[in-house]
Amino acid sequence: MTQMTPPASGAPAGSAGSARIAAAVRQAVADGILGEEQPVVGFVDTDGVRESVAALRDAFPVMPGTLHCFAAKAASLIPVLRLLADCGMGCEVASPGELRLALDAGFAPADIVLDSPAKTREEIGLALTLGVAVNADSFDELRRIDGLRTPGSASVLGIRVNPQVGSGSIGEMSTATATSKFGVALRDEGAREAVVRAFAARPWLTRLHAHVGSQGCSLELIARGVAETYELAEEINGSLRRQQVTSIDIGGGLPVNFTDDTVRPSYAAYVAALREAVPGLFDGRYALVTEFGRSLLAKNGFIGALVEYTKDAGGRRIALTHAGAHTATRTVFMPDAWPLRVGAFDAQGRPGTGPLMVQDIAGPCCFAGDVLAHGRELPELREGDFVVLYDTGAYYFSTPWAYNSLPRPAVYGFSHGTDGERVRFAPVRDAQSLDSIAAESGLAHADALTGPGATAI
Ligand SMILES: *Cc1c(COP(=O)(O)O)cnc(C)c1O
């Protein structure tokens, strides 16, 4: 199912990313941010985020109307979104909750794009009132927009197409397969003509959108999907004899290397692949929208977790940590598709140096499969040590799962400052309190099934 090579074991050696993380772990343990009181914490490297945004901007040519959006689902934390807004990014959202976060983070409505395959009338109405861009996922949704749109709405409106160029290495992450639930399936009989007719009937429809997949898709596959979308834009404008399609939203999906510190493929490599596959994309006739998530944040975040106990079972050493399926859901349930590098650190937060030993790194959840890494060779972990899960800045601690009523872990941003001497931390999200867990578990309705009112049911 996946061609991903297994990650190198042990704490990765030497490179800039690892050195920064090692300094942050050391300081977080010294400051008491990571330890017995907070046994699992997510961290965001704010300098790294700024550098990644700069790399994205540098790779793409400067063209009028270009809008680089961050896909909110990759790191749905208001301070992180505000950092990205501060870097000049827009925001791609896919639910009422994400739209709310984007607005609270300070994105201007004109810099927000609403995608999702199941928008309600209310969501569409709000987006149109605010002037948020909307990409319709289907002709039915386009008909809803027809009914809700008022003339003069500031929203840029588009339609998502599925170029059906095929699957990457992780089927669950591939959105351009023949039977994907996303967009208008372009190669289905009559679909292309129907898209052209939809534009002909709606002069306000000006954008085409495609997002080929997230992780596991090669640059060539993504570029082919963009090429198909571009060809369709040319076909629409050609047959209508006017430039009605004025922008192309090419989605996100640049894969992330989870096996070591190097950033590959780079945004520059992606742009080179696009230039090769779709030369006309950069000639200035179309404004470009991008929606990257994982590639901007994954390598700029990590999870630190305390080793609560160790034990031996059936000849295997197991480290029981506080990072489990609630913070690394995909890795626990699909370990072959989503392997993570794990680093071993001592009780002072220094990289482990002891002899290597084969160990399982397990989490606190009460089901047997809650193991983050199986049979990994790492310096021997002991009670009070720490593990680091690398490359978890996107879709991990920001996307927790409430299993076992485990709290959402605290998240901190960190920076090395201009002097590069001392790592400084800023709280991004507090750890969830027990009161909050009780409230989210129906405390306000505690008597609903047993009290006097319960006779009603
Ligand atoms: C998830 C998603 C993205 C971001 O994907 P990444 O792989 O994180 O870059 C962009 N656009 C849409 C429509 C998405 O669903």
Side-chain angles (χ1 to χ4, degrees), residues 71 73 92 115 160 209 211 214 252-253 291-294 395:
K73 72 174 184 284
E92 186 265 354
D115 300 328
R160 178 168 180 172
H209 173 222
H211 169 71
S214 291
E291 308 172 335
F292 295 104
R294 184 176 287 105
Y395 301 100

Side-chain angles (χ1 to χ4, degrees), residues 55-56 59-60 219 254-255 262-273 292 295:
L56 167 62
F60 278 84
L219 295 187
L254 189 72
T262 47
V263 175
R264 61 187 154 89
S266 62
Y267 289 113
Y270 180 39
V271 171
F292 295 104
S295 55

Side-chain angles (χ1 to χ4, degrees), residues 69-74 92-94 115-116 135 160 173 175 182 209-215 249-256 267 290-296 394-395:
C69 295
F70 175 68
K73 72 174 184 284
E92 186 265 354
V93 300
D115 300 328
S116 111
N135 289 319
R160 178 168 180 172
M173 306 305 289
T175 49
F182 292 102
H209 173 222
H211 169 71
V212 166
S214 291
Q215 193 62 16
D249 180 341
I250 65 170
L254 189 72
V256 166
Y267 289 113
T290 71
E291 308 172 335
F292 295 104
R294 184 176 287 105
S295 55
L296 283 166
Y395 301 100

Side-chain angles (χ1 to χ4, degrees), residues 149-236:
R149 185 183 164 275
T150 50
S153 162
S155 294
V156 176
L157 298 165
I159 187 159
R160 178 168 180 172
V161 295
N162 170 9
Q164 290 170 300
V165 288
S167 178
S169 63
I170 309 175
E172 290 78 358
M173 306 305 289
S174 300
T175 49
T177 59
T179 56
S180 165
K181 72 176 179 183
F182 292 102
V184 174
L186 267 194
R187 293 184 189 177
D188 284 14
E189 209 182 320
R192 247 187 131 79
E193 298 72 18
V195 172
V196 177
R197 281 199 306 276
F199 275 85
R202 297 172 179 84
W204 42 263
L205 193 61
T206 59
R207 178 172 288 172
L208 278 178
H209 173 222
H211 169 71
V212 166
S214 291
Q215 193 62 16
C217 294
S218 67
L219 295 187
E220 292 66 34
L221 184 75
I222 304 173
R224 236 185 304 140
V226 175
E228 296 271 343
T229 311
Y230 169 85
E231 291 304 328
L232 179 61
E234 292 283 89
E235 187 181 324
I236 294 166

Side-chain angles (χ1 to χ4, degrees), residues 293-340:
R294 184 176 287 105
S295 55
L296 283 166
L297 257 292
K299 294 195 110 53
N300 293 315
F302 70 92
I303 294 170
L306 180 71
V307 177
E308 193 69 51
Y309 297 103
T310 62
K311 70 165 67 164
D312 293 290
R316 173 63 56 86
R317 174 63 61 84
I318 304 166
L320 292 147
T321 77
H322 285 277
H326 61 312
T327 54
T329 313
R330 280 186 174 137
T331 295
V332 166
F333 285 106
M334 299 175 70
D336 296 330
W338 298 100
L340 288 175

